[in-house]
């Protein structure tokens, strides 16, 4: 009996994206030898961190949390914003403004580099796909501020990412109204 294996091709979902050209804020770091012996390896290179952003206050809170509590100098923040269409110029312009503002804040607050990408599609799928592409040290995102029951019934982006992003740990930053007392 011949039991040969057949190749099964899965459907690969095509997606559209646009890089956001951020203002050149950080001088180019040369490949010179480290000044101190301890400045070698990953510490000197920094980590890749994916931060999901949108125009909501909880997204901004998660971004701020990432800068204050997680990012360190030499890290690179990859800002990802999911939109319904990357071909809509108004949406692209407003998203670009948001990402430029966040990039400037990231540099001023934590001295981190920033890259930005606007991706078309469902937010949860977009974030997980970008995490798979980047293989970041962490995926950081906020919540929509829904209650537990509403999130379970309707689903949420953070819940989707928590269960489906296998390329990196997912950090879900609760909104300020969820009892956040710390001052950033």
């Amino acid at each position: 009996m011949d039991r040969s294996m057949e190749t099964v091709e899965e459907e690969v979902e095509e997606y559209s994206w646009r890089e956001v050209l951020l203002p050149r804020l950080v001088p180019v770091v040369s490949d010179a030898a480290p000044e101190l012996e301890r400045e070698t390896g990953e510490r000197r290179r920094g980590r890749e961190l994916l931060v999901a952003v949108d125009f909501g206050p909880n997204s901004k809170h998660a971004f701020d949390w990432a800068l204050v509590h997680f990012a360190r100098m030499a890290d690179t923040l990859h800002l990802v914003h999911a939109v319904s269409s990357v071909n809509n110029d108004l949406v692209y312009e407003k998203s670009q403004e948001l990402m430029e503002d966040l990039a400037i804040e990231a540099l001023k607050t934590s001295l981190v580099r920033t890259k930005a990408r606007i991706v078309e599609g469902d937010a949860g799928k977009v974030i997980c796909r970008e995490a798979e592409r980047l293989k970041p040290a962490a995926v950081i995102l906020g919540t929509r501020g829904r209650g537990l029951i509403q999130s379970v019934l309707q689903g949420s982006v953070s819940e989707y990412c928590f269960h489906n992003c296998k390329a990196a740990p997912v950090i879900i930053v609760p909104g300020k109204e969820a009892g956040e007392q710390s001052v950033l």
Side-chain angles (χ1 to χ4, degrees):
M1 189 184 313
D2 183 23
R3 291 189 175 179
S4 60
M5 297 180 70
E6 291 181 33
T7 303
V8 178
E9 291 187 25
E10 293 184 32
E11 284 187 35
V12 177
E13 186 178 329
E14 292 289 324
Y15 68 102
S16 301
W17 54 269
R18 287 173 75 178
E19 295 288 342
V20 177
L21 299 176
L22 299 172
R24 187 123 186 110
L25 302 170
V26 181
V28 176
V29 178
S30 69
D31 290 331
E35 293 179 22
L36 302 173
E37 280 186 40
R38 68 175 185 253
E39 289 184 337
T40 58
E42 186 174 316
R43 177 181 167 87
R44 185 164 180 255
R45 276 193 317 268
R47 303 168 297 171
E48 307 292 320
L49 306 174
L50 190 154
V51 180
V53 297
D54 63 19
F55 293 99
N58 290 334
S59 170
K60 176 67 167 84
H61 178 65
F63 171 81
D64 292 340
W65 183 92
L67 291 180
V68 172
H69 299 289
F70 200 80
R72 57 186 182 214
M73 199 171 14
D75 285 350
T76 300
L77 287 185
H78 293 269
L79 304 177
V80 175
H81 183 202
V83 297
S84 57
S85 172
V86 293
N87 297 321
N88 183 326
D89 289 334
L90 179 62
V91 170
Y92 179 79
E93 288 172 18
K94 289 297 179 188
S95 297
Q96 183 175 13
E97 287 174 19
L98 170 69
M99 297 212 184
E100 287 175 355
D101 291 344
L102 294 176
I104 292 168
E105 184 177 339
L107 177 65
K108 288 180 178 178
T109 304
S110 299
L111 295 175
V112 296
R113 286 173 281 177
T114 307
K115 294 182 179 181
R117 183 178 263 203
I118 300 168
V119 186
E120 185 176 302
D122 177 67
K125 290 178 181 177
V126 161
I127 294 165
C128 290
R129 196 177 308 124
E130 288 297 299
E132 188 63 38
R133 181 180 70 84
L134 295 167
K135 306 281 192 246
V139 175
I140 302 166
L141 63 153
T143 60
R144 283 273 183 222
R146 296 184 199 160
L148 175 64
I149 293 172
Q150 191 176 15
S151 290
V152 169
L153 293 176
Q154 294 179 335
S156 70
V157 173
S158 56
E159 184 177 338
Y160 179 89
C161 292
F162 181 75
H163 292 291
N164 294 289
C165 287
K166 305 298 181 197
V170 176
I171 299 172
I172 301 169
V173 181
K176 284 187 175 186
E177 68 275 353
E180 179 67 34
Q181 299 295 322
S182 68
V183 177
L184 297 179

